[in-house]
Amino acid sequence: MEEVPHDCPGADSAQAGRGASCQGCPNQRLCASGAGAAADPAIEEIKEKMKTVKHKILVLSGKGGVGKSTFSAHLAHGLAEDENTQVALLDIDICGPSIPKIMGLEGEQVHQSGSGWSPVFLEDNLGVMSVGFLLSSPDDAVIWRGPKKNGMIKQFLRDVDWGEVDYLIVDTPPGTSDEHLSVVQYLAAAHIDGAVIITTPQEVSLQDVRKEISFCHKVKLPIIGVVENMSGFICPKCQKESQIFPPTTGGAEAMCQDLKIPLLGKVPLDPRIGKSCDKGQSFLVEAPDSPATVAYRSIIQRIQEFCSQRLPEGENLVGS
Amino acid sequence: MEAAVEPGNLAGVRHIVLVLSGKGGVGKSTISTELALALRHAGKKVGILDVDLCGPSIPRMLRAQGRAVHQGDSGWVPVFVDREQSISLMSVGFLLEQPDEAVVWRGPKKNALIKQFVSDVAWGQLDYLLVDTPPGTSDEHMAVVDALRPHSPLGALVVTTPQAVSVGDVRRELTFCRKVGLRVIGLVENMSGFVCPHCSECTNVFSKGGGEELARHAGVPFLGSVPLDPELTRSLEDGRDFIQDFPDSPAFPALSSIAQKILSETPAGLS
């Protein structure tokens, strides 16, 4: 069951739809009718669909522009370097889809097959899905309120023909709102391995990330760990490091210690990362010697280890 | 049946400017804050309304964290960030009991709070009200544009960083402005370059020129490039006297020039 905002009396309580906090909730009428206790049938359908997907990883951050999409894309690239690993990348940032650009797939279209929407394949073992593939022009704005975004996410999970997949990586928009609640709710029965949380070193970013961590606790989403992005900048001329986004409160390291969650690694800021993303190429291949590539590879390995330690399929860890 | 709009709490506000960007982390809140400082420097009274409900950053940047909003006779009294009371601020950050608490709200609840922010904050007399928004083109944006429409906002300032990925999201934001009938005052390119403190080499960390090119392509005014300034970030984070420090920042000339452009948009003496 979805963790609902603030003081929700619960769909199956006598107060359902009648409490003060029910005002303005989209489910108010449904809850008041008593039908709220029944779960969305899509959750079961998605569970069926996800049986062929071994591991599901969410990439989250409270803050925008910290590198969620860059990380998601390179996690997918890195995992897919092993040709025996099937990787799927799903972009649920409905209003600001960056994945098509970063993956070099701008202008691609989604095709309909007998078994659903086909993802766009970058390699044989790397399929990508994004609302960006459904827009007719790069200027198209998706001006949608919550319920419509939720419908799209449901479709992405239920109606896309992902096939046999080892890793499904879900890239999310910033915040803790509709998209996040929906993806967690829809995948609840299908079991999510966990979330990777991205931050930058400054306190302004960390304070949003703490909110995201509190969100994970609220919805009982396991946290794989935190990645600190843009930590330090190496001047291409003098090779000396300086802090563009200074970790005035100890950065992600202090936060992780404080909150007792693992720090997966720190990725320095290399101007070549942004350039690779703009060109739609894998930075790991473009700049194999960069300290950022080394950091990325070690983080990817830790995520693989985390996933392989999870119980085999069928064991439902979520919703205990 | 609808009566003429009551100007209510926005009656004393002369100009409303929205700060938008399709992309997160491009510096909307930083630009809003810096612009407020620059307008203050020009002798204006400024209010900032932070409608980023899931990730409010402005209270921290202006060192107003932990302050409380009080209920006055005509509504919520915003928090003043300086002794002269020339910058006032309203944010959901002031309404949370715990700073780390997540605001896990779906659209309708966010819309309700934004409506309240627009109608119930007693701003008093302001030259400018800057409205800082979250990334995207969804509930918060539609809610705030709808709520402000009767008060004829001056327009929107759209913030981007120079790289193509950001520029892509900003193109969508410009489409949003067109669709909802919000005038674009201009485009600001943030984080344009970084001057290495060791060797003074200027590196374009997030490449360069994307903003200006986009402005030309989209036919909107380009207001300027604001360089990355770690010192200002640090000053904002450390809670030093940023109002004192601000004129020394390499970002200051760029911001003043942007502020001047906004000031020249609004011929004085209307009131």
Side-chain angles (χ1 to χ4, degrees):
Chain A
M1 193 38 60
E2 168 194 354
E3 268 283 331
V4 216
H6 255 54
D7 311 323
C8 169
D12 39 8
S13 95
Q15 279 303 304
R18 291 175 187 85
S21 57
C22 299
Q23 290 300 327
C25 174
N27 295 326
Q28 183 183 13
R29 198 177 300 165
L30 192 69
C31 284
S33 74
D40 186 340
I43 295 176
E44 269 309 299
E45 290 166 34
I46 289 168
K47 185 183 173 189
E48 273 308 300
K49 189 82 179 188
M50 288 291 150
K51 278 195 169 149
T52 57
V53 178
K54 269 195 208 132
H55 299 293
K56 300 159 204 83
I57 300 167
L58 299 190
V59 179
L60 299 175
S61 170
K63 178 98 184 112
V66 295
K68 280 179 297 303
S69 299
T70 304
F71 182 81
S72 303
H74 286 85
L75 178 58
H77 278 306
L79 290 169
E81 279 176 10
D82 171 9
E83 57 187 30
N84 296 317
T85 304
Q86 281 292 331
V87 181
L89 175 57
L90 170 62
D91 177 9
I92 62 163
D93 189 344
I94 310 287
C95 295
S98 319
I99 289 288
K101 174 105 204 163
I102 295 179
M103 299 301 278
L105 295 171
E106 253 188 328
E108 293 285 340
Q109 299 279 313
V110 164
H111 297 283
Q112 184 81 37
S113 77
S115 42
W117 281 343
S118 301
V120 175
F121 282 92
L122 182 67
E123 308 279 350
D124 284 344
N125 64 337
L126 176 51
V128 182
M129 183 53 108
S130 165
V131 78
F133 299 140
L134 306 171
L135 303 177
S136 51
S137 129
D139 286 319
D140 262 8
V142 181
I143 308 173
W144 288 359
R145 292 189 186 267
K148 218 168 156 185
K149 294 192 285 193
N150 300 335
M152 187 85 247
I153 292 169
K154 187 197 285 189
Q155 263 185 296
F156 277 155
L157 293 170
R158 189 187 57 192
D159 303 340
V160 175
D161 183 21
W162 293 108
E164 292 282 337
V165 168
D166 293 292
Y167 292 95
L168 171 68
I169 300 158
V170 183
D171 182 30
T172 64
T176 50
S177 190
D178 285 290
E179 295 89 337
H180 311 84
L181 283 170
S182 296
V183 74
V184 169
Q185 177 190 7
Y186 289 135
L187 286 175
H191 156 61
I192 303 172
D193 288 65
V196 177
I197 296 175
I198 316 289
T199 185
T200 51
Q202 341 77 295
E203 178 56 29
V204 169
S205 171
L206 293 172
Q207 68 173 10
D208 286 354
V209 168
R210 286 196 200 95
K211 289 183 205 292
E212 198 73 34
I213 292 168
S214 112
F215 167 82
C216 291
H217 293 325
K218 275 191 184 175
V219 301
K220 300 192 179 66
L221 179 65
I223 295 170
I224 301 176
V226 174
V227 173
E228 185 178 273
N229 204 11
M230 310 188 194
S231 44
F233 169 73
I234 309 204
C235 174
K237 193 171 172 208
C238 71
Q239 306 299 325
K240 283 193 186 138
E241 190 175 329
S242 41
Q243 300 296 335
I244 293 191
F245 301 110
T248 48
T249 56
E253 202 158 346
M255 180 190 72
C256 285
Q257 262 170 15
D258 196 30
L259 299 173
K260 299 189 176 54
I261 47 179
L263 176 66
L264 296 175
K266 297 184 188 182
V267 182
L269 188 55
D270 185 326
R272 288 177 291 178
I273 299 179
K275 288 209 182 83
S276 299
C277 288
D278 279 358
K279 286 189 285 185
Q281 287 158 338
S282 168
F283 166 72
L284 305 176
V285 176
E286 293 288 297
D289 56 321
S290 163
T293 301
V294 177
Y296 258 109
R297 290 204 183 281
S298 126
I299 292 166
I300 292 170
Q301 197 185 346
R302 287 192 61 181
I303 293 172
Q304 277 176 302
E305 282 163 12
F306 180 95
C307 289
S308 64
Q309 283 162 8
R310 304 289 298 191
L311 295 176
E313 265 197 274
E315 300 281 334
N316 192 352
L317 287 181
V318 189
S320 51
Chain B
M1 286 298 285
E2 211 173 333
V5 187
E6 277 284 318
N9 275 321
L10 290 174
V13 177
R14 293 180 60 197
H15 307 291
I16 302 172
V17 175
L18 288 94
V19 180
L20 297 174
S21 168
K23 177 101 185 110
V26 297
K28 280 178 297 302
S29 301
T30 308
I31 293 286
S32 301
T33 304
E34 292 175 340
L35 187 61
L37 294 176
L39 288 168
R40 178 192 180 277
H41 206 78
K44 302 294 172 189
K45 270 196 86 156
V46 190
I48 307 177
L49 174 60
D50 178 7
V51 300
D52 189 344
L53 305 184
C54 294
S57 316
I58 304 240
R60 164 108 208 160
M61 288 182 178
L62 285 175
R63 242 205 304 165
Q65 258 186 330
R67 302 268 297 271
V69 163
H70 299 284
Q71 187 75 41
D73 291 338
S74 46
W76 279 331
V77 181
V79 168
F80 289 103
V81 302
D82 57 344
R83 220 176 293 124
E84 297 80 21
Q85 308 206 333
S86 52
I87 299 182
S88 51
L89 172 61
M90 184 69 200
S91 164
V92 76
F94 299 135
L95 307 175
L96 303 177
E97 277 166 32
Q98 292 287 325
D100 295 343
E101 201 180 321
V103 176
V104 188
W105 289 0
R106 288 190 184 267
K109 212 165 164 182
K110 293 195 285 194
N111 298 341
L113 183 62
I114 288 173
K115 263 189 215 145
Q116 230 182 325
F117 270 172
V118 169
S119 61
D120 294 357
V121 180
W123 294 106
Q125 297 292 324
L126 289 183
D127 294 301
Y128 288 90
L129 176 65
L130 305 177
V131 183
D132 185 34
T133 64
T137 49
S138 191
D139 288 288
E140 292 91 335
H141 310 82
M142 283 184 259
V144 80
V145 169
D146 283 348
L148 288 175
R149 187 166 288 128
H151 307 284
S152 326
L154 192 61
L157 211 61
V158 178
V159 183
T160 184
T161 54
Q163 54 313 20
V165 170
S166 165
V167 166
D169 282 349
V170 175
R171 284 173 76 170
R172 289 186 272 273
E173 196 73 32
L174 292 174
T175 305
F176 169 81
C177 291
R178 207 164 41 242
K179 283 197 178 170
V180 299
L182 187 63
R183 191 173 74 97
V184 176
I185 299 172
L187 200 68
V188 175
E189 185 180 273
N190 193 26
M191 309 192 198
S192 287
F194 175 66
V195 179
C196 174
H198 305 290
C199 70
S200 303
E201 170 85 355
C202 182
T203 306
N204 298 311
V205 182
F206 299 107
S207 82
K208 191 174 194 281
E212 194 161 4
E213 201 184 310
L214 172 66
R216 207 178 314 122
H217 175 84
V220 296
F222 182 68
L223 299 186
S225 298
V226 180
L228 271 169
D229 177 12
E231 272 308 303
L232 190 65
T233 315
R234 198 178 279 278
S235 169
L236 291 176
E237 290 220 343
D238 285 356
R240 265 186 280 150
D241 190 353
F242 50 85
I243 292 180
Q244 209 71 47
D245 290 358
F246 182 58
D248 299 328
S249 159
F252 180 72
L255 259 312
S256 302
S257 129
I258 293 169
Q260 278 310 322
K261 284 176 189 154
I262 291 174
L263 290 172
S264 65
E265 284 265 333
T266 49
L270 273 180
S271 62

